[in-house]
Amino acid sequence: MNPVGRVYYGFSSLLCMPNAMSQPGGYSLGAQAGEAAIRQIATEAGFTRFRRAAETPLNLVYEARP
Amino acid sequence: MAIDEGKLHEFLGRFVTDLGAVVAVGNVVIGHRLGLYRALASGPATPQELAQRTHTNPRYVAEWLRGQAAGGYVAYDAAADSYSMTEEQAFALASPTAPSTPPVRSCWPSALCGQSRGSPRPSAPVPAWAGTNRTRGRLHRLRAFLPPRLHRQPDPVLDSRAGRRRGQAAGRRHGRGHRLRARGVDNPARRNTRTRSSSARTITATRSNWRASGPPMLASPTGRSSRSPRHRRSPDPATTSPPPSTACMTWAIRSQPPGMSASPSSRTAPDWWSSPSRPTTKQAT
């Protein structure tokens, strides 16, 4: 866990979560959803191939293909 | 001019750490006011268990716990998927004499939530958050946003000829010491002739005037209508209160039995969102 993760979790608790919880849809991922959650979303949406394409200290890049 | 990449990253790291601390303050206040720290100090818990202990929304508590663990405010046991507090963390954040308690209780909630008083009782329903606003806060807070000229109203003792003489004889003309000396506080015979300080009387008078006719400066004789936002307040704090902080409101679901979620969307949410660990998260250690 790096300091960036702390920042994102803080904003997630105060901004992202209230926003997501106030909307219909049933998903409240937060700012730090992680690969498992994103993968499930993509799979449920119909993508059959999903992989982590790249990674930096700040970002994860996923590749989803039908 | 060449930029040393190492130094740049070091500096950016410092900035990000500061940014994380700023955001953490709001979550610390939430932890205090909802009793999350105290509940977690009583024993290790998963987010679900902690939410049940504190009658809060498990999804929020899960996110809060992750942030706390990321900041090193609570300990995370990845094997058991549970969070806990060390003795030191519990002492610093959850004990009644915690050094973090005074700032959290007095200053930070006002700054962040627009509320300065009214820690919710464990059994209090959500409306306990409403109705508390800055104007009912502590004296120093109220005084802080009183117009400066109201700090110093004519004082019958201080402004009498004898009071001025005593103050001048003491060599001071300003400040509390001057006012006390002017009243003869160092003379036991004169002590306790005035039980309330002039500032307390000023605040009481201002507060009652405020209830009757709105914020003091709005009705100023100079006719100034535009004031700094700091001084702009609702006209009647006794009946109108600012909308409570949405974040705090939605965190607490005290009016509902534990386990019930406040929003229908979260009831239909899949299971993984409340799972405390996300093994493939990029920051996972």
Side-chain angles (χ1 to χ4, degrees):
Chain A
M1 180 63 70
N2 61 32
V4 179
R6 186 193 187 199
V7 174
Y8 273 71
Y9 272 132
F11 281 126
S12 182
S13 301
L14 298 174
L15 290 173
C16 309
M17 295 300 310
N19 186 24
M21 304 277 278
S22 68
Q23 297 178 30
Y27 296 102
S28 46
L29 299 173
Q32 300 266 82
E35 184 171 345
I38 302 293
R39 179 187 296 274
Q40 178 166 345
I41 297 268
T43 307
E44 285 176 3
F47 293 98
T48 54
R49 285 173 292 171
F50 183 91
R51 70 180 185 93
R52 185 191 296 196
E55 184 176 354
T56 72
L58 278 176
N59 293 299
L60 292 176
V61 180
Y62 302 115
E63 179 186 19
R65 289 181 180 277
Chain B
M1 196 161 91
I3 288 183
D4 186 329
E5 197 164 337
K7 286 181 181 172
L8 176 65
H9 283 169
E10 184 189 340
F11 172 70
L12 285 178
R14 191 177 303 167
F15 172 74
V16 168
T17 304
D18 287 351
L19 188 60
V22 168
V23 183
V25 169
N27 286 300
V28 168
V29 170
I30 285 174
H32 264 271
R33 301 194 98 189
L34 296 182
L36 299 175
Y37 287 126
R38 290 189 294 277
L40 189 61
S42 67
T46 65
Q48 194 71 34
E49 291 165 353
L50 186 61
Q52 282 177 355
R53 279 183 208 169
T54 55
H55 296 194
T56 46
N57 188 314
R59 181 64 188 94
Y60 277 115
V61 170
E63 201 78 1
W64 181 84
L65 278 170
R66 291 173 193 146
Q68 295 297 304
Y73 282 30
V74 306
Y76 175 54
D77 182 358
D81 256 2
S82 76
Y83 297 83
S84 60
M85 292 179 89
T86 65
E87 292 288 327
E88 296 79 15
Q89 288 164 341
F91 172 79
L93 293 167
S95 74
T97 57
S100 61
T101 299
V104 165
R105 290 193 61 174
S106 60
C107 311
W108 295 348
S110 322
L112 292 153
C113 305
Q115 299 167 345
S116 62
R117 218 173 75 172
S119 235
R121 266 69 63 197
S123 60
V126 168
W129 290 89
T132 59
N133 61 29
R134 281 173 226 215
T135 56
R136 298 188 198 166
R138 298 178 180 176
L139 287 187
H140 72 272
R141 281 208 55 80
L142 181 62
R143 215 169 138 190
F145 62 76
L146 283 176
R149 64 191 178 88
L150 292 183
H151 280 207
R152 177 71 176 88
Q153 283 186 334
D155 185 315
V157 172
L158 183 59
D159 293 331
S160 70
R161 187 167 295 177
R164 275 201 299 274
R165 207 164 43 235
R166 278 197 297 273
Q168 285 162 4
R172 297 273 185 86
R173 303 186 185 190
H174 305 287
R176 183 166 175 269
H178 163 65
R179 289 197 289 275
L180 292 176
R181 270 186 293 276
R183 288 192 197 110
V185 170
D186 50 338
N187 181 349
R190 291 204 178 115
R191 200 171 288 165
N192 295 331
T193 53
R194 187 179 297 272
T195 54
R196 309 186 68 185
S197 73
S198 65
S199 64
R201 278 188 294 108
T202 303
I203 288 166
T204 308
T206 306
R207 189 182 272 161
S208 57
N209 289 341
W210 194 322
R211 285 211 184 90
S213 58
M217 286 292 280
L218 287 177
S220 74
T222 60
R224 259 195 310 167
S225 59
S226 69
R227 304 161 62 229
S228 73
R230 201 162 71 90
H231 291 156
R232 201 169 293 137
R233 288 293 181 274
S234 58
D236 189 355
T239 55
T240 60
S241 59
S245 161
T246 310
C248 298
M249 285 289 292
T250 48
W251 276 63
I253 50 171
R254 297 177 190 284
S255 57
Q256 297 186 11
M260 283 281 288
S261 174
S263 78
S265 63
S266 59
R267 275 201 293 277
T268 60
D271 286 330
W272 46 258
W273 65 233
S274 61
S275 144
S277 76
R278 282 150 181 185
T280 50
T281 303
K282 59 196 168 189
Q283 276 91 17
T285 51

